[in-house]
Amino acid sequence: RTVHVVNMDPAAEQFEYTPSFDIRDLISLDDVMEECQLGPNGGLLYCMEYLLENMDWFRDQVEDYSDDYIILDCPG
């Protein structure tokens, strides 16, 4: 099977791989910190809550890889 690596870290800036899809296409930590006047921890929580509210975006991305393995590269 084919393997896809997905970036789920809205603060990530450098990768050792090319993500198949990237949460930063939906929301980025830098934008949240600037627009909402939040620090990095509060901004990261906001980003994860935003992802939960927009799971349709995630489902649409994952649909393309339904027969493949998906590795989620999460924050931390």
Side-chain angles (χ1 to χ4, degrees):
R1 290 192 180 173
T2 305
V3 176
H4 299 277
V5 182
V6 175
N7 176 43
M8 297 302 293
D9 185 351
E13 295 179 357
Q14 296 179 348
F15 301 100
E16 298 294 322
Y17 59 90
T18 302
S20 295
F21 66 92
D22 190 339
I23 191 173
R24 295 174 309 148
D25 294 336
L26 175 68
I27 191 165
S28 75
L29 182 61
D30 289 339
D31 292 343
V32 168
M33 288 173 55
E34 183 178 321
E35 292 176 22
C36 298
Q37 301 294 310
L38 295 170
N41 293 335
L44 187 58
L45 286 173
Y46 182 96
C47 289
M48 293 297 109
E49 290 174 355
Y50 190 83
L51 174 62
L52 287 174
E53 293 170 2
N54 293 278
M55 285 304 290
D56 289 341
W57 173 86
F58 184 78
R59 282 187 209 101
D60 290 344
Q61 302 299 314
V62 171
E63 277 180 357
D64 295 338
Y65 310 114
S66 61
D67 291 332
D68 303 335
Y69 289 104
I70 300 173
I71 298 172
L72 301 177
D73 185 5
C74 298

